[in-house]
Amino acid sequence: MATLELQGLAKSFDKTAVLHRIDVSLQDGEMLAIVGASGCGKSTLLRLVAGLEQPSAGRILLAGRDIIRLDPAARDIAMVFQNYALYPHMSVFDNMAYGLRIRGLSKAEIGRRVQVAADMLGLDALLARKPRQLSGGQRQRVAMGRAIVREPQLFLFDEPLSNLDAKLRVQMRAEIRRIQRNLGVTSLYVTHDQTEAMTLGDKLLVLNEGRPAQFAAPMEVFARPADTYVAAFIGAPAMNFLPATMGEGGVVATLADGARLVLTDGARPGLAGRKATIGIRPEHLVLAGKGGGDAGGFATTLDLAVELIEPLGSETLVHGMLMLDGTSLTLVARLPGGPPSLTDGRLRLGVPAAELHVFDGETGKRVEVG
Amino acid sequence: MKNRPDYVAHACLLLGVVLFALPVWLVFAGSTQDSNAIERGEISLMPHLGGLGIYPDVLLHGSMGSAPVWHMLMVSFGMAMAIAVGKIVISVLSAYAVVFFRFPFRRTAFWVIFITLMLPPEVRIIPTYAVMSQMHLINTFPGMTVPLIASATATLLFRQVFAAVPDELVEAARMDGAGPLRFLWDILLPVSAANIAALFVILFVYGWNQYLWPLLVATTPGLDTIVIGIVKMIGVETQTQWNAVMATAVLALLPPVVVVVAMQRWFIAGLTEGDK
Ligand SMILES: Nc1ncnc2c1ncn2[C@@H]1O[C@H](COP(=O)(O)OP(=O)(O)OP(=O)(O)O)[C@@H](O)[C@H]1O
Ligand SMILES: [Mg+2]
C-alpha cells in the first residue's frame, strides 16, 4: 500500500528523447491509466518505474522513498506483461511461486498465497498445467496471479488485455478493476484503448509523443480536454473539429462559410481576432428542425452531406462531409435511435452552444472562459 | 486425388533403405562367418548363427593383440561424452555472455569465437600438438578431449537460440528476483532443452567418430578408441581376422545408435521447433 510520485521523469535513448518531464502523483490504492498513441512512450514509462530502464532525469518516489537506485527485484513492484511472459516450462503453480521461492518464503506461505490468488482468478483447476495448455485468457490470469502473489506495493500493467478478444477483454477489464480495488494496490495501467483508460483509471495520463498532455480524473479529461490531441484521443468516435476565426471580444466564432457561433458560456478574450478550433463531440450534435436558421438555441446548424450511416441498434453513427468555403471537412454525429431520414442525402445538425470546446487555432491548447 | 499408395515414392524409399542397410547387414553377416572365406570374397548374406561366439570373444579379448573391445568402447564413450558435454557447457556459457550481457569488446569477443570456425582441429593440428606436448597432456585423456571441445559452431547455435528468447521473459525473471546464474539454470536451460538435446546427439556422434586427433595424441594402447582399434585390427603383414573386425565394427555402431534413438524425440523437436 503506497503512494507513488513521479517527479520530472525523463528518458532519452542515446540522443532521442522519448519521455519529457512526466509529473504524476497517486494516492494509496489509486489506479492510473496511461494512454497515448503507439510509440508515445507508455511502455518506457512503465519500464522506468519497474527499474528495467534507468531514467535520464527525475525521481520516482514509492511510499515516499526514492527507488531509482534500486534493482527491479528490490523495488517491491510486480508487472503484468503484454505477452504475459510466463515461464513456458513451469506449471501454473510454479509460475506463480517462482518469485516467492527466490525471495525465500516458506513452502506453507507460498502455497497459501498461490491458493488465494488461484481462488481469486478461478485458476484452481489449472495449477498443474503448463502455459501452452492454456487459452489466452487463462494465460492472462496466470500473469495476473504471478503479480498478485507477490503482494507488492505497486502493480504495473502493460496492455494486459490487448491479446484477448473483445468480449473477454470487457470481462477481464471489470475483473482487473475489481481485484485491484479489493487488494487496494496502487497501480499503473498502460493501454491504447480509451474505453479501458476511461473505465479503469482513477486518474488518467494522456501522453503525446512523450509529453504529458493531460493528467486528471477520466471524466475531467473527457469534459475538459487540455488540447486537441487529448480531445481527439478520448471519446469514440473522436471529437469533430471546426476551424474558425474569433471575432473581437472573443465571443463570436466565425466558420469559413460565414456561419457564426456564439459562445454563450462566456468570452475568450485571449483569442480575440485569432484563429480558433471549435470542438464538438459526435454525441452532442442533434437533429435540427427543417426550419433552418439559428433556431432552437443552437450556436449554429451544419448542413451535412451524408456519406455513410452506421446503425448500431440503440444509436446511429452518421458520417458526412461539411463544405466550408471550398474546403471539405469530415464530420461524425452519433444520434440516438435508428437512422434519421435524409433530404436529398443531406442532414441538418444543430450544435448546442453549451457543448462546445474552444481551442487555440495555433497551439491546439484549450482556451477557457475569461 | 485417388487414394492408392504412391508406388514410385515407396520404391524410391525402399531403395534408399536397402542402400543404407545393406552394407551394415553385410558387416553383421560377415562377422559370423569364417575369416578365410571372407578374405577370398566368399561372403554370404546369411549370417551363420554358430559364429556369433565371436562377439563375446572380441568384447573380452580383442583381436590381433588389440585391447579388449569393451575397453575401447569405454574410452570412445568417455571421449564422446566429454566432448559433447564439454562443448555444450562452454558454448552455453559463452553464448549466454554474448547475448545477455553488455560488456566492453562484446562484439570483438563474438567475432573471435566466430573466427575459430575457420580453424577446425585438422587445420591447427601441429600447433595444437605442440601446446598439448608442452602441457604434458600427450597420452592422457584430457589431451584427447580438450582441444576438440573449444568450438564456435555450438556457440553460434546457442546464440541464435538465446536471441530468440523474448525480452519480456528475461525481464519477468528479473522482476521475480532471479540473478544471472539462477536465470540461466532455472529458465534459459530448460527453455532451450530441446536444442541442447539435439546438439548433444550431433556432438556425441562427432566425438565418437574422431580419428585423426586421438591417433596422434594417444599412442598407448590403453587409450585406443574403438575407431582406432578397428584400424589396428587390420594387420598389414599378418593375417587379419575379418570376422573379428566386422564384429567390432558392429559393436562400434551400437552406442551412437542408442544415443540417437534415445534422444530422438528431443532431437527432432530441437531441429524443427522454431520458437517456444
Ligand atoms: N531500447 C530502446 N532504444 C531506443 N529506442 C527505444 C528503446 N525502447 C523504446 N524506444 C523508442 O521509444 C519510443 C517509445 O517506445 P515505447 O515502447 O515506450 O512505446 P509505447 O507507447 O509503449 O508504444 P506501443 O503502444 O506500441 O507499445 C519509441 O519511439 C521507441 O522506438
Ligand atoms: Mg508498449
Side-chain angles (χ1 to χ4, degrees):
Chain A
M1 316 301 112
T3 59
L4 176 73
E5 226 164 305
L6 310 182
Q7 300 176 344
L9 205 58
K11 175 69 183 174
S12 313
F13 289 107
D14 297 325
K15 294 254 148 39
T16 20
V18 170
L19 284 177
H20 310 261
R21 299 194 52 78
I22 309 283
D23 292 295
V24 158
S25 90
L26 282 186
Q27 298 300 311
D28 186 8
E30 273 187 331
M31 181 120 154
L32 171 69
I34 302 167
V35 273
S38 184
C40 69
K42 306 181 296 289
S43 297
T44 307
L45 180 56
L46 274 205
R47 294 163 52 79
L48 289 178
V49 177
L52 298 168
E53 214 81 69
Q54 278 301 309
S56 317
R59 303 206 300 160
I60 303 171
L61 302 178
L62 184 58
R65 192 167 64 117
D66 192 342
I67 56 170
I68 287 249
R69 305 224 170 282
L70 294 182
D71 208 52
R75 289 188 178 195
D76 207 2
I77 293 175
M79 184 153 171
V80 178
F81 293 87
Q82 177 171 0
N83 301 324
Y84 318 141
L86 301 179
Y87 309 123
H89 58 293
M90 292 187 196
S91 68
V92 168
F93 183 96
D94 289 336
N95 261 287
M96 293 202 252
Y98 186 61
L100 305 180
R101 290 203 183 112
I102 291 180
R103 283 175 170 74
L105 269 65
S106 75
K107 254 207 161 67
E109 174 66 7
I110 293 174
R112 187 192 65 79
R113 287 198 193 184
V114 172
Q115 199 52 54
V116 169
D119 286 343
M120 206 184 297
L121 294 161
L123 289 172
D124 223 5
L126 306 175
L127 284 176
R129 294 227 199 143
K130 295 276 169 64
R132 71 172 127 58
Q133 300 165 316
L134 301 176
S135 71
Q138 291 166 335
R139 286 180 206 185
Q140 213 286 325
R141 283 161 196 270
V142 178
M144 293 264 301
R146 187 165 64 178
I148 290 171
V149 294
R150 289 265 315 274
E151 298 182 2
Q153 292 196 317
L154 185 69
F155 280 142
L156 303 178
F157 299 92
D158 192 355
E159 306 198 25
L161 306 182
S162 60
N163 290 343
L164 303 181
D165 65 50
K167 191 159 168 241
L168 201 51
R169 206 175 316 170
V170 173
Q171 189 187 330
M172 281 307 289
R173 186 172 79 204
E175 199 161 333
I176 288 182
R177 188 57 173 144
R178 178 177 61 78
I179 288 170
Q180 190 267 343
R181 280 250 171 83
N182 286 348
L183 298 174
V185 177
T186 317
S187 304
L188 302 189
Y189 187 103
V190 162
T191 173
H192 56 236
D193 180 320
Q194 56 100 21
T195 322
E196 256 172 49
M198 288 293 291
T199 51
L200 277 174
D202 296 303
K203 295 268 179 62
L204 194 54
L205 172 66
V206 185
L207 285 182
N208 180 8
E209 294 184 350
R211 290 189 172 74
Q214 191 164 12
F215 170 59
M219 278 321 288
E220 166 78 3
V221 174
F222 184 80
R224 294 153 41 83
D227 57 27
T228 48
Y229 178 85
V230 177
F233 202 89
I234 301 296
M239 187 186 278
N240 299 298
F241 295 111
L242 307 168
T245 313
M246 265 305 172
E248 287 306 321
V251 181
V252 179
T254 313
L255 300 185
D257 66 348
R260 292 155 37 96
L261 278 85
V262 184
L263 306 180
T264 49
D265 56 342
R268 271 82 169 174
L271 271 184
R274 295 182 36 213
K275 291 210 175 314
T277 303
I278 308 296
I280 175 85
R281 293 201 180 274
E283 59 269 36
H284 292 149
L285 290 169
V286 289
L287 282 175
K290 298 253 162 31
D294 294 351
F298 299 137
T300 188
T301 56
L302 303 167
D303 194 21
L304 195 68
V306 175
E307 294 187 314
L308 176 69
I309 293 185
E310 297 179 299
L312 302 179
S314 62
E315 56 190 21
T316 304
L317 295 184
V318 180
H319 301 253
M321 292 288 253
L322 202 61
M323 291 304 291
L324 289 182
D325 193 27
T327 55
S328 61
L329 222 97
T330 55
L331 203 78
V332 182
R334 185 162 140 195
L335 306 171
S341 56
L342 308 180
T343 30
D344 258 358
R346 306 184 82 81
L347 199 63
R348 278 194 81 73
L349 294 170
V351 181
E355 307 292 355
L356 291 180
H357 302 260
V358 182
F359 304 98
D360 188 313
E362 271 134 42
T363 62
K365 292 258 172 289
R366 180 184 191 81
V367 182
E368 294 287 3
V369 173
Chain B
M1 278 294 280
K2 262 175 278 175
N3 200 3
R4 71 181 159 85
D6 188 340
Y7 294 110
V8 179
H10 280 261
C12 287
L13 291 174
L14 267 177
L15 189 72
V17 169
V18 169
L19 223 56
F20 278 99
L22 191 65
V24 177
W25 178 253
L26 201 63
V27 169
F28 171 66
S31 69
T32 60
Q33 296 168 28
D34 180 52
S35 179
N36 293 323
I38 298 171
E39 184 94 70
R40 291 193 302 275
E42 289 167 12
I43 187 164
S44 146
L45 270 180
M46 286 307 294
H48 303 172
L49 291 182
L52 279 175
I54 189 70
Y55 282 90
D57 222 37
V58 288
L59 263 178
L60 296 177
H61 308 298
S63 158
M64 309 283 300
S66 76
V69 167
W70 70 263
H71 188 264
M72 297 194 289
L73 284 173
M74 294 296 287
V75 173
S76 273
F77 187 78
M79 186 175 78
M81 282 302 268
I83 289 174
V85 172
K87 271 193 192 236
I88 285 173
V89 168
I90 292 231
S91 45
V92 159
L93 289 177
S94 54
Y96 184 48
V98 169
V99 173
F100 289 102
F101 296 88
R102 306 277 163 271
F103 54 90
F105 303 112
R106 179 163 147 270
R107 283 185 150 269
T108 320
F110 176 70
W111 282 108
V112 167
I113 295 172
F114 190 82
I115 282 171
T116 62
L117 262 189
M118 295 168 220
L119 298 171
E122 291 77 11
V123 174
R124 53 184 163 86
I125 204 153
I126 292 169
T128 307
Y129 189 89
V131 171
M132 287 297 115
S133 155
Q134 279 160 17
M135 294 172 80
H136 304 291
L137 288 177
I138 303 296
N139 277 327
T140 63
F141 188 74
M144 285 167 70
T145 50
V146 170
L148 296 175
I149 282 176
S151 109
T153 25
T155 308
L156 291 180
L157 184 114
F158 281 121
R159 196 185 90 107
Q160 292 315 109
V161 172
F162 291 170
V165 171
D167 288 344
E168 288 192 340
L169 198 62
V170 183
E171 286 165 357
R174 261 181 87 188
M175 297 206 63
D176 263 346
L181 281 179
R182 207 193 270 270
F183 174 71
L184 176 68
W185 190 253
D186 285 351
I187 316 262
L188 201 55
L189 289 184
V191 163
S192 325
N195 291 288
I196 292 175
L199 196 67
F200 175 83
V201 172
I202 293 170
L203 292 178
F204 183 89
V205 174
Y206 165 86
W208 186 267
N209 288 337
Q210 279 307 308
Y211 177 66
L212 186 58
W213 179 250
L215 182 70
L216 218 73
V217 80
T219 45
T220 51
L223 282 176
D224 276 350
T225 65
I226 190 80
V227 180
I228 288 173
I230 293 175
V231 177
K232 282 194 176 171
M233 284 180 190
I234 303 174
V236 186
E237 285 129 40
T238 46
Q239 273 272 302
T240 303
Q241 251 192 298
W242 284 109
N243 56 339
V245 172
M246 289 180 173
T248 310
V250 170
L251 289 172
L253 265 179
L254 293 181
V257 168
V258 168
V259 167
V260 170
V261 169
M263 312 271 286
Q264 190 177 25
R265 202 173 65 85
W266 287 96
F267 181 66
I268 291 168
L271 290 186
T272 54
E273 211 168 73
D275 54 315
K276 284 158 265 84

Coordinates of all heavy atoms in Angstrom, one line a residue, chain A residues 89-90 98-104, chain B residues 96 173 176-190:
Chain A
H89 N 8.2 -23.6 -19.3 CA 8.5 -24.9 -18.9 C 7.9 -25.2 -17.5 O 8.1 -26.3 -16.9 CB 10.0 -25.2 -18.9 CG 10.7 -24.2 -18.1 ND1 10.8 -22.9 -18.4 CD2 11.4 -24.4 -16.9 CE1 11.5 -22.3 -17.5 NE2 11.9 -23.1 -16.6
M90 N 7.3 -24.2 -16.8 CA 6.9 -24.3 -15.5 C 5.4 -24.4 -15.5 O 4.7 -23.8 -16.3 CB 7.3 -23.1 -14.6 CG 8.7 -23.0 -14.4 SD 9.0 -21.6 -13.2 CE 10.7 -21.3 -13.4
Y98 N 7.4 -19.0 -8.4 CA 8.9 -18.8 -8.6 C 9.5 -17.6 -7.9 O 10.5 -17.7 -7.2 CB 9.1 -18.7 -10.1 CG 10.6 -18.6 -10.5 CD1 11.4 -19.7 -10.2 CD2 11.1 -17.5 -11.2 CE1 12.8 -19.6 -10.6 CE2 12.4 -17.5 -11.5 CZ 13.3 -18.5 -11.2 OH 14.6 -18.5 -11.5
G99 N 8.8 -16.4 -8.1 CA 9.3 -15.2 -7.4 C 9.3 -15.3 -5.9 O 10.2 -14.8 -5.2
L100 N 8.4 -16.1 -5.4 CA 8.3 -16.2 -3.9 C 9.4 -17.1 -3.4 O 10.0 -16.9 -2.3 CB 6.9 -16.8 -3.5 CG 5.7 -16.0 -4.0 CD1 4.4 -16.6 -3.5 CD2 5.8 -14.5 -3.5
R101 N 9.7 -18.2 -4.2 CA 10.8 -19.1 -3.8 C 12.1 -18.3 -3.7 O 12.9 -18.5 -2.8 CB 10.9 -20.2 -4.8 CG 9.7 -21.2 -4.7 CD 10.0 -22.6 -5.2 NE 8.9 -23.4 -5.2 CZ 8.2 -23.8 -6.3 NH1 8.7 -23.6 -7.5 NH2 7.1 -24.6 -6.2
I102 N 12.3 -17.5 -4.8 CA 13.6 -16.8 -4.8 C 13.7 -15.9 -3.6 O 14.7 -15.7 -3.0 CB 13.7 -16.0 -6.1 CG1 13.9 -16.9 -7.3 CG2 14.8 -15.0 -6.0 CD1 14.0 -16.3 -8.6
R103 N 12.5 -15.3 -3.2 CA 12.5 -14.4 -2.0 C 12.6 -15.2 -0.7 O 12.6 -14.6 0.4 CB 11.3 -13.5 -2.1 CG 11.4 -12.4 -3.1 CD 10.2 -11.6 -3.2 NE 10.5 -10.4 -4.0 CZ 10.7 -10.5 -5.3 NH1 10.6 -11.6 -6.0 NH2 11.0 -9.3 -6.0
G104 N 12.6 -16.5 -0.8 CA 12.9 -17.3 0.4 C 11.7 -17.5 1.3 O 11.8 -17.7 2.5
Chain B
Y96 N 25.7 -17.3 -23.6 CA 24.9 -16.6 -22.6 C 25.6 -15.2 -22.4 O 24.9 -14.2 -22.3 CB 25.0 -17.4 -21.3 CG 24.2 -16.8 -20.2 CD1 22.9 -16.4 -20.4 CD2 24.7 -16.7 -18.9 CE1 22.1 -15.9 -19.3 CE2 24.0 -16.2 -17.8 CZ 22.7 -15.8 -18.1 OH 22.0 -15.3 -17.0
A173 N 11.7 -12.5 -15.2 CA 12.6 -13.2 -14.3 C 13.4 -12.2 -13.4 O 13.6 -12.4 -12.2 CB 13.6 -14.1 -15.1
D176 N 11.1 -11.0 -10.9 CA 10.9 -12.1 -9.9 C 12.1 -12.2 -9.0 O 12.1 -13.0 -8.0 CB 10.6 -13.4 -10.6 CG 9.1 -13.6 -10.7 OD1 8.4 -12.9 -9.9 OD2 8.7 -14.5 -11.4
G177 N 13.2 -11.6 -9.3 CA 14.4 -11.6 -8.5 C 15.4 -12.6 -8.8 O 16.3 -12.9 -8.0
A178 N 15.3 -13.2 -10.0 CA 16.3 -14.2 -10.4 C 17.6 -13.5 -10.9 O 17.6 -12.6 -11.8 CB 15.8 -15.0 -11.6
G179 N 18.7 -13.8 -10.3 CA 20.0 -13.3 -10.7 C 20.5 -14.0 -12.0 O 19.8 -14.9 -12.4
P180 N 21.6 -13.6 -12.5 CA 22.1 -14.1 -13.8 C 22.2 -15.7 -13.8 O 21.7 -16.3 -14.7 CB 23.4 -13.5 -14.0 CG 23.4 -12.3 -13.2 CD 22.5 -12.5 -12.0
L181 N 22.9 -16.2 -12.8 CA 23.1 -17.7 -12.8 C 21.8 -18.4 -12.6 O 21.5 -19.5 -13.2 CB 24.1 -18.1 -11.7 CG 25.5 -17.8 -12.1 CD1 26.5 -18.2 -11.0 CD2 25.9 -18.5 -13.4
R182 N 20.9 -17.9 -11.7 CA 19.6 -18.5 -11.5 C 18.8 -18.5 -12.8 O 18.1 -19.4 -13.1 CB 18.9 -17.8 -10.4 CG 17.9 -18.7 -9.6 CD 17.1 -17.9 -8.8 NE 17.6 -17.7 -7.4 CZ 17.3 -18.5 -6.4 NH1 16.6 -19.6 -6.6 NH2 17.8 -18.3 -5.2
F183 N 18.8 -17.3 -13.5 CA 18.1 -17.2 -14.7 C 18.6 -18.3 -15.7 O 17.8 -19.0 -16.3 CB 18.2 -15.8 -15.3 CG 17.6 -15.7 -16.7 CD1 16.3 -15.7 -16.8 CD2 18.4 -15.6 -17.8 CE1 15.7 -15.6 -18.1 CE2 17.9 -15.5 -19.0 CZ 16.5 -15.5 -19.2
L184 N 19.9 -18.4 -15.8 CA 20.5 -19.4 -16.7 C 20.0 -20.8 -16.4 O 19.5 -21.6 -17.2 CB 22.0 -19.4 -16.6 CG 22.8 -20.4 -17.4 CD1 22.6 -20.1 -18.9 CD2 24.2 -20.4 -17.0
W185 N 20.0 -21.1 -15.1 CA 19.7 -22.5 -14.7 C 18.2 -22.8 -14.6 O 17.8 -23.8 -15.1 CB 20.3 -22.7 -13.3 CG 20.3 -24.2 -12.9 CD1 19.5 -24.7 -11.9 CD2 21.1 -25.2 -13.4 NE1 19.7 -26.0 -11.8 CE2 20.7 -26.4 -12.7 CE3 22.0 -25.3 -14.4 CZ2 21.2 -27.7 -13.0 CZ3 22.6 -26.6 -14.6 CH2 22.2 -27.7 -13.9
D186 N 17.5 -21.8 -14.1 CA 16.0 -22.1 -13.9 C 15.2 -21.9 -15.2 O 14.2 -22.5 -15.3 CB 15.5 -21.2 -12.8 CG 15.9 -21.6 -11.4 OD1 16.4 -22.7 -11.3 OD2 15.6 -20.9 -10.5
I187 N 15.6 -20.9 -16.0 CA 14.8 -20.5 -17.1 C 15.4 -20.9 -18.4 O 14.9 -21.6 -19.3 CB 14.5 -19.0 -17.1 CG1 14.1 -18.6 -15.7 CG2 13.4 -18.6 -18.1 CD1 12.7 -18.5 -15.3
L188 N 16.6 -20.3 -18.7 CA 17.2 -20.4 -20.0 C 17.5 -21.9 -20.4 O 17.1 -22.3 -21.5 CB 18.5 -19.6 -20.0 CG 18.9 -19.2 -21.4 CD1 17.8 -18.4 -22.1 CD2 20.2 -18.3 -21.3
L189 N 18.1 -22.7 -19.5 CA 18.5 -24.0 -19.9 C 17.2 -24.9 -20.1 O 17.1 -25.6 -21.2 CB 19.4 -24.7 -18.9 CG 20.8 -24.1 -18.9 CD1 21.7 -24.8 -17.9 CD2 21.4 -24.1 -20.3
P190 N 16.2 -24.8 -19.2 CA 15.0 -25.6 -19.5 C 14.3 -25.2 -20.8 O 13.9 -26.0 -21.6 CB 14.1 -25.3 -18.3 CG 15.0 -24.9 -17.2 CD 16.2 -24.2 -17.9

